[in-house]
Amino acid sequence: MVGCGSRPGSGGVGPLRGFPQPGGGRSSCIGDSGVSIQPVYGAQHPPLDPRLTKNFIKERSKVSTVPLKNKKASSFHEFARNTSDAWDIGDDEEEDFSSPAFQTLNSKVALATAAQVLENHSKLRVKPERSQSTTSDVPASYKVIKSSSDAQLSRNSSDSCLRNPLHKQQSLPLRPVIPLVARISDQNASGAPPMTVREKTRLEKFRQLLSSHNTDLDELRKCSWPGVPREVRPVTWRLLSGYLPANTERRKLTLQRKREEYFGFIEQYYDSRNEEHHQDTYRQIHIDIPRTNPLIPLFQQPLVQEIFERILFIWAIRHPASGYVQGINDLVTPFFVVFLSEYVEEDVENFDVTNLSQDMLRSIEADSFWCMSKLLDGIQDNYTFAQPGIQKKVKALEELVSRIDEQVHNHFRRYEVEYLQFAFRWMNNLLMRELPLRCTIRLWDTYQSEPEGFSHFHLYVCAAFLIKWRKEILDEEDFQGLLMLLQNLPTIHWGNEEIGLLLAEAYRLKYMFADAPNHYRR
């Protein structure tokens, strides 16, 4: 079964409730017509932080008197029989908060915290002047909260200060924690300043390139590979996707013509969504839109969802060979956020789009449609009948991993894990379900700079992404553990640094194997 790739009308509306079978086509997530929306954990639905829960889970398993299963599942079929829904494992409603493990954990935390509070309090009594001076040195800007997301970040920061001694005892990494509500804005995991001297120099180079009479697209791609500055990303993406011409004099007329053409499609086709032969397509789109980035308030606004519905429906009508397939809805979001940022200076995740003028919203909608269309033109075989493009890419990934890390490959074979069971979603959604949206935007800077970035280079990114977790993979010694790990990879704290390292490794693999076929073959 393939949750992200089910066709309209199949009745499949839940997110990845089962797992794809090798060689299978597109089947529904749910066999009947019932609507069941289950949470899908990943970058957009973050799991519990494994660093905090790993020891606790082990301790609880020792004292628990209720066996969950007689034995661990050792194969896919056994796992499927024993598990009604893989995503339900670890849900809060199954936790017994009265168990001894919870009581033991709470007492340890209470004792450690109380001891530290007493020690801190005694220090404050000795040196009150230092405490007062430290408080007065805090910049006033830290007290200004522009959005609920910033408020959450502020609360997390204050909480971390109170629990700092406890964190040191647990040996957690000393780095700024990005809030679990995924932030869209660029943010390095290291907490580096938002604009360094080097970044200012790069921004100036971009502006010179973009303002020249005929933009040198090859040079623009070279500059964009390591990332595009936020200020020039909208126009850079339009150029790299082929939506805008390189000649600056033609850009304004081209934008006007293409935007008018898109809204001509709206007038011509959108009313047909209620016709019988289009009802299934529109119904599937209407169901999928609310599940697009559900943790980001921006995408839960009715006006934004209406824009997405129009974009996806018009694309499906104009591409009957594939039509709409679940997963395509995710591909709109990076373009929408980037083009919205052209009009919004603050963080966009909580921005109310009703504050924008009608002309601005129309421009964002039309540009998102055309750039998404350009992307899908290069990977449309991923979404045609039986999705042959994805089948080939997953097979190529298996072959590549067997070459670069035979130990991981044999580990999968030993526990009967098929690549299609986890990598289908990686190809269908271009890793958007595995990474925070801010990381996807940075990743797409490079994809649009690479020749066939979304279709060819993505394969090497997936291989590098898989090998990144080789230690965690080799530590799992049963089918169920491996599959749950691969579908809940802990990337919620990732930023530009991690994506940069991932892309560097992917480029190395591409250089070694794409240009040296003998390394790739058996």
Side-chain angles (χ1 to χ4, degrees), residues 307-496:
I307 290 173
F308 277 38
E309 284 184 2
R310 288 194 292 268
I311 290 174
L312 294 170
F313 183 77
I314 296 302
W315 188 88
I317 294 299
R318 297 187 73 248
H319 296 82
S322 62
Y324 172 74
V325 177
Q326 285 179 296
I328 294 179
N329 55 307
D330 288 330
L331 305 183
V332 186
T333 56
F335 292 114
F336 184 84
V337 167
V338 167
F339 297 137
L340 175 62
S341 68
E342 201 167 18
Y343 305 98
V344 180
E345 293 184 359
E346 59 190 278
D347 292 341
V348 300
E349 62 261 31
N350 286 289
F351 182 76
D352 185 356
V353 296
T354 59
N355 294 326
L356 296 178
S357 67
Q358 188 67 23
D359 288 341
M360 291 178 181
L361 288 172
R362 287 168 65 90
S363 298
I364 294 169
E365 179 176 348
D367 293 354
S368 299
F369 170 81
W370 286 115
C371 288
M372 186 196 74
S373 298
K374 292 285 186 180
L375 184 161
L376 289 172
D377 285 347
I379 57 172
Q380 192 171 355
D381 62 340
N382 285 7
Y383 305 105
T384 54
F385 179 74
Q387 299 180 269
I390 291 180
Q391 303 276 352
K392 292 176 183 176
K393 290 182 178 69
V394 171
K395 187 65 179 175
L397 176 65
E398 180 178 358
E399 184 73 16
L400 181 58
V401 173
S402 71
R403 287 292 174 210
I404 63 179
D405 199 324
E406 190 174 5
Q407 188 177 3
V408 168
H409 178 70
N410 290 336
H411 193 70
F412 286 152
R413 295 183 66 181
R414 178 182 177 184
Y415 295 105
E416 302 180 23
V417 174
E418 299 289 342
Y419 284 76
L420 202 62
Q421 292 163 351
F422 64 88
F424 182 93
R425 190 171 73 180
W426 296 9
M427 303 299 178
N428 189 65
N429 299 80
L430 298 177
L431 286 176
M432 286 194 65
R433 296 288 178 91
E434 326 317 316
L435 298 171
L437 184 54
R438 62 181 176 276
C439 294
T440 297
I441 292 173
R442 167 62 191 92
L443 189 66
W444 286 20
D445 288 342
T446 301
Y447 279 3
Q448 296 190 86
S449 308
E450 274 280 326
E452 299 180 328
F454 291 98
S455 58
H456 183 61
F457 188 60
H458 180 67
L459 167 66
Y460 298 96
V461 172
C462 288
F465 186 65
L466 181 63
I467 301 306
K468 167 75 173 65
W469 309 102
R470 75 181 308 276
K471 180 182 182 300
E472 291 82 356
I473 289 170
L474 296 176
D475 285 345
E476 296 291 343
E477 297 183 347
D478 63 272
F479 175 86
Q480 176 177 329
L482 280 167
L483 220 53
M484 291 303 296
L485 168 67
L486 292 167
Q487 292 169 345
N488 296 272
L489 292 169
T491 61
I492 188 62
H493 297 290
W494 275 32
N496 290 347

Side-chain angles (χ1 to χ4, degrees), residues 10-156:
S10 65
V13 297
L16 194 61
R17 198 172 174 86
F19 305 100
Q21 296 292 335
R26 279 180 275 172
S27 60
S28 64
C29 306
I30 306 171
D32 52 27
S33 60
V35 178
S36 176
I37 299 177
Q38 298 290 338
V40 179
Y41 296 110
Q44 298 172 353
H45 297 265
L48 295 175
D49 193 330
R51 296 170 300 182
L52 297 175
T53 58
K54 186 175 182 180
N55 294 334
F56 164 69
I57 292 173
K58 289 182 179 178
E59 184 178 358
R60 185 187 174 208
S61 63
K62 294 179 181 178
V63 300
S64 177
T65 57
V66 182
L68 296 178
K69 289 187 177 69
N70 293 331
K71 61 177 182 178
K72 292 183 177 180
S74 60
S75 68
F76 173 73
H77 298 290
E78 189 174 345
F79 173 67
R81 287 196 302 270
N82 294 336
T83 309
S84 60
D85 190 332
W87 305 114
D88 290 339
I89 294 179
D91 281 356
D92 291 340
E93 63 268 21
E94 295 180 2
E95 302 289 357
D96 181 9
F97 291 99
S98 62
S99 67
F102 275 95
Q103 297 170 6
T104 304
L105 178 67
N106 290 338
S107 62
K108 289 181 179 179
V109 172
L111 290 173
T113 306
Q116 193 61 49
V117 168
L118 291 174
E119 182 181 351
N120 290 343
H121 183 65
S122 62
K123 290 180 180 178
L124 290 174
R125 292 181 63 184
V126 174
K127 299 179 180 180
E129 297 84 1
R130 181 179 179 183
S131 176
Q132 292 173 2
S133 63
T134 304
T135 306
S136 62
D137 290 339
V138 176
S141 59
Y142 288 174
K143 300 176 182 178
V144 179
I145 299 177
K146 296 182 179 180
S147 65
S148 60
S149 176
D150 292 329
Q152 180 66 31
L153 179 60
S154 177
R155 286 196 297 272
N156 289 347

